[in-house]
Amino acid sequence: MQIQAQTDIWVAPNGADTNLGTKENPLQTVSMAIRRVREMRRLSENNFTKAIHIYVREGNYQLYEPITIRPEDAGTSLSPTIIEAAPNEKPIISGGISLSGWTKVKGNFIGLPKEAIGKVWVADAPKIGGNVLDFRQLWVNNQKAIRAKDTPYPRMNRILSWNKKEETCWISTPKFPEITKANGVEMFIHQWWAIANLRIKKMEVQGDSTKLSFFQPESKIQSEHPWPAPWISKETGNSAFYLTNAIQFLNEAGEWFLDKKAEKLYYIPRVNEVMENAEVIAPSLETLVRIEGTVDHQVSHVFFKNIVFCHTSWLRPSQQGHVPHQAGLYMLDAYKLKMPGTPDKKTLENQAWVGRPKAAVEVSYANHTGFEACRFEHLASTGLDYHKGVHDNSIKGNLFKDVGGTGIQAGVFADEATEIHLPYNPSDEREVCTNLLISNNLISDVTNEDWGAVGIGAGFVKGINIEHNEISDVSYSGISMGWGWTKTVNAMKNNSISANKIHHYAKHMYDVAAIYTLSAQPGSVISENYVDSIYKAPYAHIPNHWFYLYTDEGSSYFTIKDNWSPSAKFLQNANGPGNTWQNNGPQVADSIKVKAGIQAEYAYLLKDKKQADKYWEINVEKPVIVELITKNGQTIDRKKLDEILLKSKVSQEALFQWENHLVIFDKVQDVYLLRERLKNAFPKLQIKTYDDLFYEFNQEKCKNGKSAKEWSHTILTANLVADTTLQKEYLSYHATQFEKWPEVSQGFCNADFQQLLIYKNGRQLMLVISIPKGESLDRLNPKTIENNPKVVEWNKLMTKYQEGISGTQKGETWVFLKPAGN
């Protein structure tokens, strides 16, 4: 007999799992509702012909274990199981514990900074099973609090050095009393495109420097793996870091510290937070929902709608450290090969095996499942993860906000037993993530703890369709698709990334793009996306190493077309064959910009978008300068140099020379790659990069400014004087010139200067003056001072800060570099 009537089961916080599950007598837990449906289907032999709805009433559902959905819970195409909010209600599935009983700390206690006295509140630490709960996140009135750290955000310090052999790091001695005796202190370190969380084992103070050693296993991995490693650079600064998790660091509003030994939680409230009635939540579960089948018995036809998932924990960094390789995947083992090369990649010089961070919702071996109009908020690690053996699923119209790691993750990256550079091509194709639709989701303020995670991360996937999502305020890349670093054809194919809007990304990490790919993916398309507003990351290892689109190692058989971005700053690094690039950049039609992003049906999500950080500047593509300096009769092989310039897409007109100084001035897609090519080709030359652009004039500063179609450039160089006080004065004058000396820029306008740029590397300055092509600087330059005595005064003032570089004549300051192209 077929059961024709639609079956509804109701759940409410004030219900009971012994109830019937009707609207009048609801169950109390979603898990019991799923069990009821399971038994109904078993007893009726799946003869349902209409959907079964589990309606969840408004309220907070605190979990003590994950909700688990198994193959026995599967619905059918005629009768899916839909777990959804009751109409116009907002149920919250939470892994958190509410904390109360806050009192203000009276007086001082050991370790508390003087500036925190009278500001700190305390509550008993939460316990589970008689033991103090360990956690790394805390939310106060739905705003994430800050684990106490030694620098105020966004400021960080710089490491002094890293000793890989000893597995130690030197830093400037922290100015916090008794910090070397504190237990549980961690180091958060910024390195290239990833961060690392390292548990500090010992601090050894030697005057103004302190040596850090770390616990295993992260100590060995951190010092052995080559990519990404701690960054050491005189040009751009060593890796940035901060220390965290000590009472000595508790000195800023919004910071907290858990004293597990004393079983107390300390917090300094923000303005307008009243601790007597504040909602304070600590997470206790890492995963809220687990949908898990097997390769032969999959979960199918189960859907979640309008449910809020929040308050998860992630404790691996506290227990084993966290050293990611890329996109948040953490290394289990990694090292540099003594003899480079594998059968798949002869130049490969490293090996690594990675693990996968926990997710609030995890799905594996499931088909025809989905999440729609759900909210994933206040989560420690990944939001939603469709992992292995998932087919024909959908993620539509959801919000991902305040997520510590990746928003949405999909597909196998590498199993823990598999080296990450091996192409994934399982004998059983059912393992491969196939035909996943990720559409119309708002992903905003994710990756706010693991800065190297991404908005949407897809590994080895097939037929994935990522469309009409909006991604903003992420620390690294917006969308990352692919894994393996190989041009060998593998399980990936027929993937599509289209009509997404990605902006305000790369807040902290570079070697980055709005859309980033790896490895061969035949039949895949990246089209009609809108990319804009990449943040100026304050501690990026290479300040210009950012891109709008980036096809990285092994990327093959892609079509990349009709993507709008402010400029054509794209990177194709070590790509394989078969890629087609067509009509990408600022010339793309405005209609594509308008259509990209969330569609009208899901526009309700946009009210939850995090506003752009007003303290972060936005990058604009600018030319960079690379200088090659010869010494003692050295010469530069021009044929070899020309080959490098051609390979790096640098024009011959970009070359300028004075004496033994050869300068490249151009918009360079990847200045780091150019510099490395030059270093390898000319190992005996001194090579300097100028990407510290500290002064810029352009025609926008002019009242009736008009840009000429073509420009010619004049480049000059000089040194700042050695006196550091005078150097600071010079920089300060230029930082305030437009405001305090407007006559100077007016002089540039009068002379029709198109732009004027000043770069700095150490003491050396590079000045670029751009004028309309065909004009003469000798003719235009006098116009800067015509009827403008303030410019004369400015020029005279600047002379006290400048001197000639090595090789100039006595009294000579600025020297002209002449065009040196063929």
Side-chain angles (χ1 to χ4, degrees):
M1 181 178 101
Q2 288 190 333
I3 301 174
Q4 299 294 333
Q6 177 174 318
T7 302
D8 299 341
I9 294 179
W10 290 77
V11 180
N14 61 353
D17 281 351
T18 54
N19 284 348
L20 294 175
T22 61
K23 187 174 183 179
E24 296 74 21
N25 293 284
L27 302 174
Q28 188 180 42
T29 66
V30 174
S31 291
M32 180 55 73
I34 291 168
R35 185 196 291 187
R36 291 283 179 91
V37 174
R38 180 191 312 149
E39 292 305 296
M40 288 163 52
R41 291 190 184 279
R42 179 179 65 85
L43 294 172
S44 68
E45 297 182 351
N46 273 332
N47 285 326
F48 290 92
T49 59
K50 291 186 178 181
I52 296 179
H53 291 260
I54 297 175
Y55 288 113
V56 187
R57 300 298 304 268
E58 182 146 348
N60 187 67
Y61 296 83
Q62 181 184 342
L63 301 183
Y64 299 94
E65 62 179 357
I67 296 169
T68 302
I69 299 176
R70 305 177 176 88
E72 291 77 12
D73 301 315
T76 66
S77 58
L78 290 177
S79 175
T81 297
I82 303 172
I83 303 162
E84 62 183 312
N88 302 313
E89 298 191 25
K90 184 180 177 181
I92 298 171
I93 294 177
S94 171
I97 294 175
S98 295
L99 308 180
S100 58
W102 291 91
T103 59
K104 198 168 188 178
V105 174
K106 296 179 180 179
N108 196 2
F109 57 91
I110 295 175
L112 185 68
K114 291 181 181 179
E115 61 268 30
I117 296 173
K119 301 177 182 178
V120 179
W121 287 68
V122 63
D124 291 335
K127 291 184 177 181
I128 292 182
N131 298 314
V132 171
L133 175 68
D134 195 8
F135 52 92
R136 300 175 62 86
Q137 295 77 30
L138 188 74
W139 288 276
V140 180
N141 296 336
N142 286 323
Q143 185 175 2
K144 182 179 283 186
I146 304 160
R147 206 168 178 225
K149 60 192 194 70
D150 67 335
T151 57
Y153 179 82
R155 184 173 163 268
M156 300 174 76
N157 293 313
R158 300 276 193 174
I159 68 171
L160 300 178
S161 64
W162 197 281
N163 189 316
K164 291 187 176 183
K165 186 175 181 181
E166 291 184 357
E167 300 178 10
T168 57
C169 174
W170 284 93
I171 64 172
S172 297
T173 296
K175 301 188 184 306
F176 295 90
E178 304 295 315
I179 190 61
T180 58
K181 298 178 182 178
N183 292 319
V185 181
E186 296 179 11
M187 181 185 211
F188 177 102
I189 183 170
H190 179 298
Q191 39 197 25
W192 304 25
W193 58 81
I195 57 93
N197 300 100
L198 308 171
R199 298 169 299 153
I200 296 174
K201 182 178 182 180
K202 189 176 182 180
M203 291 184 172
E204 299 176 67
V205 177
Q206 296 187 19
D208 60 0
S209 300
T210 294
K211 182 168 71 171
L212 307 180
S213 55
F214 309 96
F215 285 102
Q216 300 293 0
E218 66 265 37
S219 178
K220 175 175 176 288
I221 295 169
Q222 169 70 2
S223 284
E224 282 199 340
H225 79 275
W227 308 103
W231 182 254
I232 305 295
S233 171
K234 291 181 180 179
E235 288 190 48
T236 60
N238 296 346
S239 273
F241 78 95
Y242 62 77
L243 304 179
T244 184
N245 198 38
I247 190 66
Q248 287 89 339
F249 304 150
L250 187 67
N251 58 8
E252 297 279 338
E255 286 190 330
W256 62 274
F257 173 71
L258 173 64
D259 188 334
K260 289 188 284 187
K261 185 176 181 181
E263 300 183 355
K264 296 293 182 183
L265 175 63
Y266 299 98
Y267 178 66
I268 300 179
R270 297 181 174 102
V271 177
N272 299 325
E273 288 178 345
V274 180
M275 296 311 295
E276 290 92 342
N277 57 22
E279 181 185 45
V280 183
I281 297 178
S284 64
L285 290 183
E286 295 185 311
T287 300
L288 303 175
V289 176
R290 186 174 290 120
I291 301 175
E292 189 171 16
T294 68
V295 69
D296 292 315
H297 298 90
Q298 297 198 354
V299 179
S300 63
H301 298 96
V302 176
F303 299 90
F304 283 83
K305 292 184 178 181
N306 289 298
I307 303 292
V308 179
F309 301 97
C310 61
H311 305 134
T312 57
S313 181
W314 191 46
L315 292 178
R316 190 178 197 279
S318 296
Q319 298 164 350
Q320 296 177 282
H322 178 54
V323 186
H325 187 276
Q326 188 167 309
L329 282 294
Y330 56 84
M331 286 180 274
L332 302 165
D333 192 10
Y335 56 88
K336 188 171 183 176
L337 293 168
K338 292 182 179 179
M339 294 183 63
T342 66
D344 186 63
K345 192 173 182 181
K346 294 181 180 180
T347 59
L348 186 69
E349 60 180 2
N350 67 300
Q351 300 275 271
W353 292 259
V354 298
R356 193 180 189 99
K358 292 287 186 179
V361 177
E362 299 178 344
V363 185
S364 60
Y365 294 108
N367 66 79
H368 297 96
T369 67
F371 291 79
E372 183 172 358
C374 294
R375 299 173 69 96
F376 295 80
E377 298 181 272
H378 316 315
L379 306 173
S381 186
T382 305
L384 174 59
D385 188 352
Y386 269 81
H387 185 189
K388 180 184 285 189
V390 287
H391 308 97
D392 303 301
N393 300 289
S394 65
I395 304 168
K396 294 191 299 184
N398 304 284
L399 171 69
F400 295 83
K401 186 175 182 181
D402 184 15
V403 178
T406 293
I408 301 171
Q409 191 152 278
V412 169
F413 284 75
D415 291 325
E416 292 190 1
T418 304
E419 204 280 320
I420 63 169
H421 299 94
L422 295 176
Y424 175 71
N425 219 351
S427 57
D428 192 336
E429 290 189 0
R430 292 177 297 173
E431 287 187 10
V432 181
C433 174
T434 305
N435 297 340
L436 174 63
L437 174 64
I438 302 175
S439 174
N440 282 287
N441 300 283
L442 175 62
I443 301 170
S444 184
D445 186 26
V446 302
T447 73
N448 59 27
E449 289 195 38
D450 185 343
W451 293 349
V454 297
I456 298 175
F460 289 96
V461 291
K462 181 170 66 174
I464 195 170
N465 189 0
I466 303 172
E467 65 176 25
H468 285 291
N469 303 282
E470 181 165 341
I471 302 172
S472 69
D473 217 72
V474 291
S475 298
Y476 185 43
S477 291
I479 298 173
S480 175
M481 186 169 72
W483 198 248
W485 294 266
T486 175
K487 61 184 178 182
T488 300
V489 174
N490 54 76
M492 292 185 286
K493 62 181 178 180
N494 299 332
N495 297 313
S496 174
I497 301 174
S498 63
N500 299 282
K501 183 177 182 180
I502 305 169
H503 58 99
H504 295 92
Y505 63 100
K507 192 171 185 178
H508 298 291
M509 317 302 291
Y510 278 5
D511 195 33
V512 67
I515 300 172
Y516 170 93
T517 67
L518 280 170
S519 298
Q521 302 187 39
S524 295
V525 177
I526 299 170
S527 67
E528 300 188 1
N529 298 283
Y530 171 29
V531 179
D532 200 1
S533 301
I534 178 169
Y535 281 122
K536 279 190 176 180
Y539 295 101
H541 63 301
I542 305 171
N544 280 287
H545 204 56
W546 56 267
F547 308 97
Y548 296 118
L549 303 174
Y550 185 171
T551 50
D552 202 2
E553 293 191 47
S555 292
S556 309
Y557 312 110
F558 276 96
T559 297
I560 304 103
K561 66 178 182 178
D562 299 330
N563 298 283
W564 189 93
S565 59
S567 72
K569 196 169 193 303
F570 312 134
L571 181 59
Q572 302 165 58
N573 178 46
N575 286 184
N579 292 326
T580 300
W581 289 73
Q582 180 181 340
N583 191 38
N584 301 287
Q587 76 282 357
V588 171
D590 286 344
S591 59
I592 286 177
K593 293 171 63 176
V594 171
K595 291 178 182 177
I598 289 172
Q599 294 172 298
E601 181 183 352
Y602 299 95
Y604 62 84
L605 290 166
L606 296 176
K607 69 181 185 301
D608 286 298
K609 180 168 58 178
K610 182 176 179 179
Q611 295 301 307
D613 195 320
K614 62 182 179 181
Y615 298 107
W616 253 251
E617 294 182 29
I618 300 301
N619 265 307
V620 177
E621 186 183 14
K622 297 294 180 186
V624 297
I625 290 177
V626 179
E627 182 183 25
L628 292 79
I629 306 172
T630 60
K631 293 182 179 180
N632 302 323
Q634 292 175 327
T635 58
I636 296 177
D637 184 337
R638 282 301 301 269
K639 184 178 179 182
K640 188 184 293 186
L641 176 61
D642 290 346
E643 289 174 355
I644 292 172
L645 296 180
L646 181 64
K647 193 172 185 179
S648 302
K649 299 182 179 179
V650 175
S651 166
Q652 287 286 337
E653 294 182 358
L655 282 178
F656 299 81
Q657 187 167 13
W658 176 80
E659 301 291 341
N660 61 328
H661 296 257
L662 187 67
V663 160
I664 300 166
F665 171 71
D666 204 353
K667 287 185 177 180
V668 179
Q669 285 191 328
D670 187 358
V671 68
Y672 175 74
L673 186 59
L674 171 61
R675 189 178 65 183
E676 292 306 300
R677 286 170 177 164
L678 292 169
K679 283 182 178 180
N680 291 333
F682 308 109
K684 295 182 180 180
L685 298 188
Q686 182 183 359
I687 299 174
K688 297 170 68 176
T689 304
Y690 294 78
D691 44 29
D692 182 3
L693 175 62
F694 67 89
Y695 178 83
E696 177 185 5
F697 162 85
N698 56 44
Q699 280 288 307
E700 292 179 4
K701 306 292 184 184
C702 302
K703 196 170 184 179
N704 298 308
K706 291 183 180 179
S707 292
K709 290 184 178 181
E710 293 185 278
W711 301 352
S712 60
H713 309 293
T714 300
I715 299 181
L716 305 90
T717 187
N719 271 346
L720 285 175
V721 295
D723 188 314
T724 56
T725 300
L726 292 179
Q727 291 176 21
K728 290 177 182 177
E729 286 182 18
Y730 179 85
L731 295 175
S732 177
Y733 270 116
H734 282 80
T736 59
Q737 179 259 298
F738 297 113
E739 176 187 352
K740 296 182 178 180
W741 291 74
E743 298 86 355
V744 174
S745 50
Q746 183 57 51
F748 300 153
C749 294
N750 295 342
D752 203 19
F753 287 180
Q754 299 297 294
Q755 70 176 5
L756 192 147
L757 312 173
I758 310 179
Y759 298 82
K760 185 172 77 71
N761 183 322
R763 287 205 294 137
Q764 190 172 348
L765 305 174
M766 289 282 179
L767 168 62
V768 180
I769 302 173
S770 303
I771 61 175
K773 198 163 188 177
E775 279 285 3
S776 163
L777 184 61
D778 289 338
R779 191 182 76 82
L780 295 181
N781 194 44
K783 294 185 178 183
T784 62
I785 60 174
E786 282 181 7
N787 303 314
N788 200 339
K790 290 292 284 186
V791 178
V792 177
E793 183 183 347
W794 170 272
N795 292 340
K796 184 177 179 181
L797 177 63
M798 291 300 108
T799 59
K800 84 180 216 182
Y801 302 107
Q802 303 157 354
E803 63 185 23
I805 65 171
S806 177
T808 55
Q809 300 298 317
K810 186 176 180 180
E812 189 177 16
T813 304
W814 289 99
V815 294
F816 285 75
L817 292 102
K818 296 181 179 179
N822 291 338

